[in-house]
């Protein structure tokens, strides 16, 4: 595979970048020390890249290729906690035809990660995903979430096939004047 006849009529070894006047000279070169060392170097390089490629293949996550059947049903409730005056959002997502063994997931996304709307630092997004449904997202205020005891709640009801997420925003601090 390294043998090539150039435009002058000489024979070239593309591995070693050497020129030979005839085929016999090239064949003698292939048995020589320089060519053998270059072959060994090339084989080591290929083995190393194949090891990296196989390592990267093992590292990849398995993506499912199911056909999306549309958006799930949802209900969003805004609340205000009377004791702490904290704003609260309750998301109830209904997945009646979810695949067996799949639990819905949620994730928060910055306004700068998305490419659908103009970027606005006042908002963030919460996304919900479960196969075979499309991923849905809601635009929520970009305020710090209260992740204290009982303030951030997720629940998957496998009988009713509903996923519930309740989140509280940290109370807004009023400006104190002296």
């Amino acid at each position: 595979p390294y043998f090539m006849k150039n435009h002058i009529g000489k024979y070239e070894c593309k591995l070693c970048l050497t020129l030979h006047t005839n085929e016999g000279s090239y064949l003698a070169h292939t048995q020589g020390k320089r060519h053998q060392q270059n072959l060994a170097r090339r084989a080591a390089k290929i083995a190393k890249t194949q090891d990296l490629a196989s390592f990267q293949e093992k590292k990849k996550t398995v993506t499912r290729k199911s056909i999306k059947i549309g958006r799930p049903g949802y209900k969003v409730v805004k609340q205000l906690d009377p004791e702490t005056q904290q704003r609260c959002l309750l998301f109830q997502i209904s997945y009646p035809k979810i695949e067996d063994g799949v639990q819905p997931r949620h994730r928060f996304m910055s306004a700068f990660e998305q490419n659908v709307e103009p970027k606005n630092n006042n908002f963030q997004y919460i996304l919900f995903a479960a196969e075979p449904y499309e991923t849905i997202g809601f635009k929520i205020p970009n305020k710090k979430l209260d992740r204290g005891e009982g303030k951030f709640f997720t629940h998957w009801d496998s009988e009713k096939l509903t996923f519930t997420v309740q989140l509280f925003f940290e109370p807004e601090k009023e400006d104190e004047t002296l």
Side-chain angles (χ1 to χ4, degrees):
Y2 306 112
F3 178 76
M4 186 179 98
K5 189 172 184 178
N6 67 14
H7 67 287
I8 300 172
K10 293 190 177 188
Y11 298 95
E12 239 180 282
C13 176
K14 292 196 292 184
L15 177 65
C16 305
L17 302 174
T18 56
L19 286 173
H20 305 278
T21 54
N22 55 35
E23 284 185 49
S25 173
Y26 173 78
L27 291 174
H29 162 75
T30 60
Q31 303 303 314
K33 182 178 176 182
R34 182 176 185 182
H35 189 80
Q36 294 301 320
Q37 285 176 338
N38 286 340
L39 280 175
R41 190 178 299 129
R42 174 67 59 96
K45 183 179 178 183
I46 290 172
K48 185 178 179 182
T49 58
Q50 285 178 344
D51 287 345
L52 283 173
S54 65
F55 176 72
Q56 289 172 345
E57 287 175 10
K58 290 177 189 175
K59 193 176 174 183
K60 289 181 183 176
T61 58
V62 177
T63 56
R64 295 191 177 144
K65 304 260 185 194
S66 62
I67 298 171
K68 301 292 185 188
I69 61 171
R71 294 187 183 115
Y74 60 88
K75 180 180 176 184
V76 181
V77 179
K78 293 191 274 186
Q79 300 171 332
L80 184 66
D81 189 350
E83 296 173 7
T84 62
Q85 296 299 311
Q86 286 180 288
R87 291 184 182 175
C88 168
L89 289 173
L90 174 70
F91 297 94
Q92 292 178 319
I93 316 296
S94 174
Y95 294 104
K97 295 181 181 175
I98 193 168
E99 291 181 355
D100 292 334
V102 174
Q103 181 173 345
R105 296 174 164 265
H106 75 281
R107 159 174 138 65
F108 292 96
M109 178 187 283
S110 158
F112 298 100
E113 290 180 71
Q114 58 88 25
N115 294 318
V116 177
E117 293 186 357
K119 291 158 183 32
N120 187 345
N121 199 30
N122 296 325
F123 297 101
Q124 62 182 333
Y125 298 85
I126 183 168
L127 305 177
F128 297 95
E131 294 290 335
Y133 290 93
E134 292 178 18
T135 300
I136 59 171
F138 298 93
K139 189 176 186 177
I140 61 175
N142 191 13
K143 305 230 186 273
K144 192 165 184 178
L145 298 177
D146 187 353
R147 294 187 182 256
E149 186 70 30
K151 298 291 184 178
F152 188 82
F153 172 78
T154 63
H155 175 69
W156 167 239
D157 187 344
S158 57
E159 292 176 5
K160 294 181 182 176
L161 302 174
T162 57
F163 185 57
T164 305
V165 174
Q166 183 174 22
L167 53 96
F168 284 81
F169 296 101
E170 284 193 355
E172 294 179 15
K173 296 177 183 172
E174 296 179 15
D175 293 334
E176 296 178 6
T177 55
L178 297 176

